[in-house]
DNA sequence: TGCCAAAATGACAGCGCAGTCAATTGGAAT
DNA sequence: ATTCCAATTGACTGCGCTGTCATTTTGGCA
């Protein structure tokens, strides 16, 4: 592995292998029309010169960019995991990730996105919630015909693949767990209205309650917008009603942590006097006591899959395969220390 | 703002403005040698065609890439904030961030990094801890002469700028806070050995204790490696000694959360029976009860600054200005609910 | 052996821009 | 008006690669 001060180019390899630059290009791009003998000679030259194709040139000349956009707006802690998973998959195929942070509420949002898209070709874009449900950005991407994969969108959008877990089913199972422990008065803290997960998780809760003939009291349903501070307020209200719930289902772990912190402050004994479940297995879920019973999404796997969908469809620019890939991945129910039978 | 299906190029603008492509290039790059009249005409044409320079072409043709690498390996929660800050600053100057996740312990680490560097020109790289102290990656970047900014490195490395907060001073102040409350037996949980912050924070603690004639007991110093689970073990040991400490200084918030969770589990009354301080103002700091007394690093500001250093030095490829910029930013002492006078 | 289609290879242009250097212009000084 | 220099502008090239299409080679078959 020689290490020339000036990186080797296609021409250099071509000269060494005594073929044309175009043939080297063919080998690099794994085009089938190269004889075995030639291919091997070229590969040896590539090895020898430690040749790496220049991405910028490829982007400029070719129709691929080897770049995938990962767009987010105020994500939770999972961003790090998600990025790691997607980056990993990208590296395997010589792709790269361009992580872009947007502010959906900024007046410049639209302009910024379309500027980016026209500045560089992206082979695809992965949309993280809540961007997965954003019509504006969806349209921009469609108009620019950038293949888009949505993570956990509210609805299946019929022009782009999506990757989800079954929030509804997970919520049902979590509720069933609480019910099986003997809880009957269960409080529920909703996420942010309009967010896909908010509806599904509540629907799962409500259906399971109904299935087991347990009434849902209106006074025990609060809206916490997925954030800790709102969760605190919800918990306080929930625990102040005449006959407080024996268990609380928070739509995510941050809000569950809020419930637990309020309970601690009030001197409640956990989990005996109050059971709490969250959702997401966020870092905080295992950084408090009692450890949260929650649902884990396979974030890293989702990320890999999202990147993979784009990478695999990138060469042929024919659009997505049909039927459109909508993958539902398995979640994991994590029963930990925050749930117990009511006293 | 017309919206042609085919993005406008330099040529298009040149034609409309009735100048040469090169002149448009000059305007776009804010070169001084363009007459006011011409510049205005060109600017109008740019506006009209909504022209955006193609990044790939710029990278290929010019000596700049408008790309900054943000390299990390297992960062904490602050990554999201850091990325957002850096991305923000980048966008202001038409730059982009390439977030790269490495595994320092992987045998392919070196090869992967140098492959990336030869695949695309980066105008600079920002190294997040613990990569800031990594000699291997430092050398690769130096050999490739990629301007590098280190975040919170252990030592000032004299060939690249760094951005730090004064961990030592912050730790002293945090310790002084505990001391002023009346604590004398104070436990300490160290971070990961070798990590820059680990040493500085302990040094600050030790110096302040010494300055106030308070002995440090060897049995009250544990090593928690900055992670929650190790923090749990440390806390258990610390609270099991014959006469346990009345306060515990954890080198970061995750470990402080661990102390609090153990205390809850043991039924200790917080903060009266045990005061706890953390470091970083991580998300968990405000997602538990009692809210953590801690130190906030201006992560977003650090990120902006790091990006800015690279952006500003990018045009002239003369290397860093001298003296080398080593910025120490102000931290913020956040006294919240986890500290009180001992009973 | 010769013929032909298929397979393999190469020549060349051009992606969109910035660097180089030569050509032109403008204006101040004479 | 003339001269001269600095300010301004443009022509041209090449960055490293891929797409297109022409050319050469190969192998199967008559």
């Amino acid at each position: 592995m020689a290490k020339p001060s000036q990186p080797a180019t296609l021409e250099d390899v071509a000269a060494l292998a005594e073929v044309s630059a175009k043939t080297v290009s063919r080998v690099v791009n794994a085009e089938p029309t190269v004889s075995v003998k030639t291919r091997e000679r070229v590969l040896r030259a590539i090895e020898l010169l430690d040749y790496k194709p220049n991405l910028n040139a490829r982007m400029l000349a070719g129709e691929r960019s080897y770049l995938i956009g990962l767009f987010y707006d105020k994500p939770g802690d999972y961003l790090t995991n998600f990025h790691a998973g997607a980056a990993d998959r990208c590296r395997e195929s010589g792709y790269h990730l361009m992580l872009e942070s947007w502010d959906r509420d900024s007046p410049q949002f639209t302009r910024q996105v379309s500027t980016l898209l026209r500045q560089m070709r992206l082979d695809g874009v992965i949309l993280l919630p809540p961007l997965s449900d954003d019509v504006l950005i969806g349209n921009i991407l469609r108009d620019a015909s950038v293949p888009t994969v949505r993570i956990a969108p509210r609805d299946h959008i019929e022009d782009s693949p999506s990757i989800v877990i079954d929030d509804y089913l997970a919520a049902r199972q979590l509720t069933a767990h609480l019910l099986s422990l003997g809880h009957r008065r269960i409080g529920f803290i909703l996420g942010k209205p309009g967010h896909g997960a908010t509806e599904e998780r509540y629907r799962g809760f409500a259906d399971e309650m109904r299935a087991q003939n347990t009434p849902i009291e209106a006074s025990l349903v609060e809206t916490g917008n997925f954030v800790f501070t709102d969760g605190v307020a919800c918990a306080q209200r929930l625990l102040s009603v005449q006959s407080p719930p024996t268990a609380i289902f928070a739509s995510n772990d941050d809000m569950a942590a809020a419930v637990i912190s309020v309970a601690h402050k009030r001197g409640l004994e956990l989990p005996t006097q109050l059971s709490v479940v969250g959702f997401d297995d966020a870092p905080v879920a295992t950084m408090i006591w009692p450890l949260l019973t929650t649902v884990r999404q396979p974030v890293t796997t989702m990320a890999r899959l999202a990147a993979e969908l784009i990478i695999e469809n990138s060469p042929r620019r024919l659009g997505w395969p049909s039927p459109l890939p909508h993958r539902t991945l398995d979640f994991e129910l994590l029963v930990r220390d925050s749930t117990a039978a009511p006293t």
Side-chain angles (χ1 to χ4, degrees), chain A:
Chain A
M1 282 222 294
K3 204 167 183 180
S5 52
Q6 210 59 2
T9 70
L10 261 197
E11 300 285 351
D12 300 333
V13 177
L16 184 61
E18 296 177 301
V19 294
S20 72
K22 179 64 211 188
T23 298
V24 178
S25 168
R26 289 193 176 98
V27 172
V28 171
N29 290 291
E31 289 173 30
T33 66
V34 182
S35 73
V36 176
K37 218 175 50 184
T38 309
R39 179 188 311 280
E40 284 186 349
R41 195 143 40 84
V42 171
L43 284 176
R44 213 166 316 127
I46 288 179
E47 181 83 5
L48 219 65
L49 296 176
D50 194 21
Y51 165 77
K52 307 286 176 195
N54 178 309
L55 271 184
N56 298 326
R58 290 181 110 166
M59 298 186 212
L60 187 58
E63 50 182 18
R64 274 203 275 175
S65 67
Y66 298 87
L67 262 185
I68 295 176
L70 176 53
F71 290 12
Y72 75 88
D73 174 19
K74 311 182 191 64
D77 293 318
Y78 67 88
L79 176 65
T80 308
N81 289 332
F82 196 95
H83 177 266
D88 209 51
R89 182 61 188 83
C90 282
R91 194 168 287 151
E92 289 173 20
S93 301
Y95 274 66
H96 291 274
L97 273 181
M98 179 136 280
L99 188 61
E100 294 289 330
S101 154
W102 309 107
D103 177 5
R104 178 59 188 74
D105 300 325
S106 154
Q108 314 174 62
F109 172 64
T110 324
R111 209 171 42 68
Q112 287 177 340
V113 174
S114 54
T115 297
L116 170 64
L117 292 182
R118 291 199 291 116
Q119 283 201 129
M120 28 192 5
R121 152 167 219 85
L122 295 178
D123 283 357
V125 163
I126 302 171
L127 253 26
L128 260 29
L131 254 28
S132 335
D133 288 309
D134 197 281
V135 179
L136 223 47
I137 201 170
N139 287 341
I140 297 174
L141 289 166
R142 188 168 32 67
D143 291 350
S145 50
V146 177
T148 304
V149 173
R150 291 164 205 274
I151 305 298
R154 188 168 47 244
D155 314 301
H156 280 202
I157 295 174
E158 275 317 318
D159 61 2
S160 79
S162 58
I163 298 174
V164 301
I165 66 157
D166 192 337
D167 281 272
Y168 170 78
L169 187 61
R172 278 196 77 143
Q173 291 188 9
L174 222 36
T175 308
H177 166 66
L178 251 20
L179 255 12
S180 76
L181 250 22
H183 294 279
R184 285 298 169 271
R185 300 184 52 76
I186 305 180
F188 193 93
I189 303 182
L190 291 157
K192 196 181 180 86
H195 207 113
T198 301
E199 302 167 11
E200 289 299 288
R201 292 174 192 178
Y202 182 72
R203 208 163 56 80
F205 167 73
D207 280 7
E208 185 65 25
M209 290 289 272
R210 198 169 308 122
Q212 303 209 17
N213 296 313
T214 314
I216 300 174
E217 289 183 36
S219 64
L220 295 187
V221 178
E222 293 277 347
T223 298
N225 298 312
F226 287 134
V227 300
F228 180 87
T229 45
D230 290 0
V232 168
C234 293
Q236 273 159 352
R237 282 195 296 272
L238 249 21
L239 296 176
S240 301
V241 300
Q242 305 90 316
S243 56
T246 61
I248 294 181
F249 184 141
S251 293
N252 75 347
D253 288 343
D254 287 11
M255 298 191 300
V259 174
I260 284 185
S261 89
V262 168
H264 275 145
K265 191 165 187 179
R266 295 187 166 218
L268 290 183
E269 207 165 286
L270 296 175
T272 43
Q273 292 184 36
L274 182 70
S275 286
V276 181
V277 301
F279 211 108
D280 286 346
D281 195 30
V284 73
T286 46
M287 304 223 291
I288 57 180
W289 189 85
L291 301 181
L292 275 179
T293 291
T294 187
V295 168
R296 174 186 292 158
Q297 307 199 30
V299 175
T300 307
T301 307
M302 293 171 90
R304 286 189 61 89
L305 196 53
E308 191 158 290
L309 282 176
I310 290 171
I311 292 172
E312 286 182 347
N313 281 284
S314 194
R316 39 187 167 177
R317 304 198 53 65
L318 308 169
W320 299 108
S322 66
L324 216 51
H326 290 294
R327 307 281 178 84
T328 302
L329 301 190
D330 287 338
F331 57 85
E332 197 179 343
L333 194 65
L334 300 169
V335 176
R336 294 200 275 235
D337 306 331
S338 68
T339 45
T343 44

